Amino acid sequence: QQTVREDYSPPLVDVIERLAEMATVYKDTAMLARTHGRAAQPTTFGKEMGIVAKRVVEWASKIYGIKLEGKLGGAVGNLSDHYAAYPDINWIRFAEDFVASFGLVPNTSPTQILPYDRAIELFGDIQDVNKVLIGLSQDMWRYISDDWILLKRGGISSVMPQKVNPENFERAEGALQISNNDFDFLGEKLATSRLQRDLSNSLATRMFGNAFGLSILGYRNLSEGLGDSEPDAEQMSVVLRAHPEIVSSMMQTILRRAGLSRPYDTLQELTRGKKV
């Protein structure tokens, strides 16, 4: 929980704040939406950033809501030695109070080790945050490739002096993908421990820092990339004007309201696969 609060959260909050700012500043910056990679209806750049911000906040709230567990149970979780030495003490109550004093949720049914169930839940929620941000990194890369986004700074080509490369988004994508792979392994490995205890997971727990570190690295690169990005409203407008057929979706609804028979089919004949 300390790692989540002090190390993991700040760079993720930076990303959320960047997205929220872009959602506000560019809420009226119109651009072409694409579904299936094809020209769809208009949207705005700010709205798309706002969607990502909302999704990340919702997943992050689940992360912060997870209460990690602790246990005091003895050699196999039964408090046997404790009762043998001091049979008059209510050891279950003592264990619960002791664990709770550290801000943890008492687990009163462990084996020799504490089950990793809450940690696995945490890893899964972090993975879901990362999946959203991997998608954002890929979309930003595409927008830059289409010249819809201007990069103030970025990676420098070794042989082409004119280029500013979207390296922050590429690094963010890679770091978050590797982090999710690590969390996948940890979730699979730590869900089981043979009988009451085995040591095969002892090395796996040493990967926690690597998995968290890669997520943090991804967030830092993503935040920096977003800070260096500015939509080219003029170029986005040029692309929109080049696709007048996108209004056909709205027109069919208006024509249907007016009572026209089969407006979808009518507009399909006029627009589908054609240069309008």
Side-chain angles (χ1 to χ4, degrees):
Q1 286 176 309
Q2 183 177 356
T3 297
V4 170
R5 183 174 60 253
E6 297 181 3
D7 301 312
Y8 174 83
S9 293
L12 180 59
V13 170
D14 286 344
V15 172
I16 294 171
E17 289 178 347
R18 294 274 195 191
L19 290 169
E21 180 182 9
M22 296 175 86
T24 301
V25 173
Y26 303 115
K27 62 185 176 66
D28 296 323
T29 302
M31 72 177 194
L32 182 70
R34 295 187 184 276
T35 56
H36 306 279
R38 307 294 293 163
Q41 289 188 356
T43 185
T44 76
F45 183 73
K47 180 255 187 180
E48 300 304 317
M49 296 300 101
I51 289 173
V52 179
K54 179 177 181 293
R55 294 180 67 196
V56 174
V57 166
E58 288 176 348
W59 282 116
S61 66
K62 293 186 65 178
I63 291 172
Y64 303 141
I66 292 174
K67 301 296 184 182
L68 297 183
E69 294 179 329
K71 73 99 180 178
L72 173 63
V76 294
N78 298 337
L79 292 164
S80 303
D81 299 342
H82 303 68
Y83 277 111
Y86 298 95
D88 296 331
I89 294 178
N90 185 338
W91 283 106
I92 293 179
R93 176 63 58 82
F94 178 91
E96 290 177 342
D97 293 342
F98 180 75
V99 171
S101 70
F102 292 95
L104 300 172
V105 176
N107 185 312
T108 57
S109 56
T111 59
Q112 184 179 89
I113 64 171
L114 177 74
Y116 290 97
D117 297 344
R118 296 291 75 74
I120 294 170
E121 182 182 359
L122 172 65
F123 298 160
D125 290 339
I126 292 174
Q127 284 181 297
D128 288 324
V129 167
N130 291 352
K131 290 171 187 174
V132 175
L133 295 180
I134 288 169
L136 172 65
S137 300
Q138 294 169 338
D139 284 353
M140 290 298 293
W141 190 95
R142 171 64 190 267
Y143 293 148
I144 294 166
S145 177
D146 288 343
D147 294 323
W148 291 10
I149 297 291
L150 301 173
L151 281 179
K152 304 171 188 175
R153 296 178 301 172
I156 299 173
S157 172
S158 58
V159 294
M160 291 174 277
Q162 83 283 2
K163 290 183 68 182
V164 181
N165 295 326
E167 290 185 0
N168 284 119
F169 296 110
E170 293 169 339
R171 291 194 185 102
E173 177 184 346
L176 296 177
Q177 286 172 332
I178 298 171
S179 177
N180 273 10
N181 286 340
D182 286 351
F183 282 130
D184 262 338
F185 167 76
L186 290 170
E188 181 75 21
K189 179 61 183 171
L190 299 178
T192 60
S193 181
R194 286 192 292 274
L195 303 180
Q196 285 70 51
R197 169 92 234 238
D198 79 277
L199 276 176
S200 63
N201 58 24
S202 62
L203 291 175
T205 58
R206 290 168 170 79
M207 288 181 58
F208 286 9
N210 190 61
F212 273 99
L214 284 163
S215 284
I216 291 169
L217 179 63
Y219 303 155
R220 287 176 176 170
N221 273 278
L222 189 52
S223 180
E224 186 174 335
L226 292 171
D228 289 334
S229 298
E230 180 180 346
D232 188 336
E234 182 177 348
Q235 179 63 21
M236 289 178 175
S237 178
V238 168
V239 176
L240 268 176
R241 289 196 301 269
H243 290 279
E245 74 279 2
I246 62 176
V247 302
S248 62
S249 175
M250 291 168 273
M251 289 175 63
Q252 69 158 323
T253 303
I254 295 171
L255 293 173
R256 186 173 289 111
R257 182 192 64 188
L260 183 70
S261 175
R262 303 178 67 185
Y264 179 93
D265 296 325
T266 300
L267 288 163
Q268 172 184 307
E269 294 175 7
L270 293 171
T271 62
R272 180 174 291 180
K274 299 177 182 178
K275 183 70 175 177
V276 177

